[in-house]
């Protein structure tokens, strides 16, 4: 086995408040009582693989599911145990981002947040069965900025039923 050659780590947190109809990822709704056991299992697996990781990684990416739906104490326990990395990203659903959560992520060493916006058109968000509307995306963005994040990305989806190319190029409805 090569020791210490892996410089990128993806960690999956599957818990979601709601299952969006288009989603193909490994997610679970409910089972809130199992966040702690899941994080413990992740950390046990990390120990088994730790020799393969460099001491400091280039990137750590917590994806989901909805990492920011994970019980706050368990998310912090996970972040504290992960290897140091130049870039630590957490995926966040906009409706889960509060000023408190943003500050907590920052304090735990997260320096990049990937927000699942998908679209700024309420009708298309309805098709996707998203819980967050455009205002929630904006609120989340400003909470993250206020907490000191200068690296925020937005996921957008193209190909939603009812979404034409001209609609896509305008991104958000004319006001
Ligand atoms: C797996 S989701 C996790 C992030 C978060 N739960 C959310 O929904 O914003 C990561 C991103 O993958 C994209 N995605 C989800 N389902 C997809 C699908 N079936 N096809 C293409 N992209 C998808 C969305 O843009 C989403 O923001
Ligand atoms: S919130 Fe994200 S991960 Fe969860 S079901 Fe929706 S798209 Fe999938």
């Amino acid at each position: 086995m090569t020791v210490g050659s892996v410089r990128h780590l993806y960690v999956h947190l599957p818990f979601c408040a709601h299952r969006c109809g288009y989603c193909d990822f490994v997610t679970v709704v409910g089972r809130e009582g199992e966040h702690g056991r899941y994080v413990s299992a992740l950390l046990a697996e990390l120990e088994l693989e730790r020799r393969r990781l460099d001491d400091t990684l280039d990137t750590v990416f917590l994806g989901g599911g909805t990492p920011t739906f994970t019980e706050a104490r368990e998310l912090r326990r996970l972040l504290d145990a992960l290897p140091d990395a130049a870039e630590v990203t957490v995926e966040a659903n906009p409706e889960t981002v509060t000023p408190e959560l943003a500050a907590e992520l920052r304090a735990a060493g997260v320096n990049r947040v990937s927000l699942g916006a998908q679209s700024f058109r309420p009708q298309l968000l309805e098709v996707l069965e998203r819980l967050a509307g455009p205002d929630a995306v904006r609120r989340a963005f400003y909470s993250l900025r206020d907490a000191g994040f200068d690296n925020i990305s937005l996921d957008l989806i193209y190909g939603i039923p009812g979404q034409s190319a001209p609609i896509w190029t305008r991104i958000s409805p004319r006001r």
Side-chain angles (χ1 to χ4, degrees), residues 4 6 9 36 56-57 86 95 110-111 127 133 144 150 161 166:
V6 174
L9 182 66
T56 299
L57 305 181
E95 72 277 10
V110 177
N111 55 16
V127 173
L144 292 165
D150 60 5

Side-chain angles (χ1 to χ4, degrees), residues 21-175:
Y22 64 95
C23 182
D24 287 324
F25 292 84
V26 175
T27 68
V28 292
V29 174
R31 298 167 72 171
E32 278 86 0
E34 295 179 20
H35 294 194
R37 282 176 56 210
Y38 182 84
V39 167
S40 295
L42 277 179
L43 294 180
E45 192 168 342
L46 178 66
E47 273 322 299
L48 294 175
E49 302 292 337
R50 203 176 269 274
R51 288 181 61 231
R52 293 159 58 91
L53 304 178
D54 277 359
D55 290 337
T56 299
L57 305 181
D58 290 349
T59 62
V60 165
F61 191 102
L62 267 63
T66 309
T68 48
F69 181 67
T70 310
E71 202 181 310
R73 192 180 44 156
E74 298 303 332
L75 183 57
R76 182 62 192 249
R77 184 161 73 94
L78 176 63
L79 285 166
D80 286 348
L82 292 176
D84 290 337
E87 181 182 277
V88 181
T89 303
V90 170
E91 268 183 344
N93 288 35
E95 72 277 10
T96 64
V97 179
T98 59
E100 294 73 28
L101 178 95
E104 178 73 11
L105 292 177
R106 198 74 198 152
V110 177
N111 55 16
R112 177 170 176 259
V113 174
S114 171
L115 275 180
Q118 320 309 351
S119 172
F120 284 88
R121 293 183 168 264
Q123 307 92 305
L124 296 180
L125 290 169
E126 234 172 81
V127 173
L128 294 176
E129 303 172 0
R130 295 292 291 179
L131 296 180
D135 288 345
V137 178
R138 292 186 185 98
R139 270 196 304 276
F141 177 83
Y142 286 115
S143 294
L144 292 165
R145 276 286 201 230
D146 289 347
F149 284 96
D150 60 5
N151 196 350
I152 302 168
S153 64
L154 296 183
D155 286 339
L156 297 169
I157 292 185
Y158 178 71
I160 306 168
Q163 183 186 40
S164 62
I167 285 179
W168 168 251
T169 55
R170 284 207 303 274
I171 301 283
S172 66
R174 290 186 204 287
R175 289 176 182 267

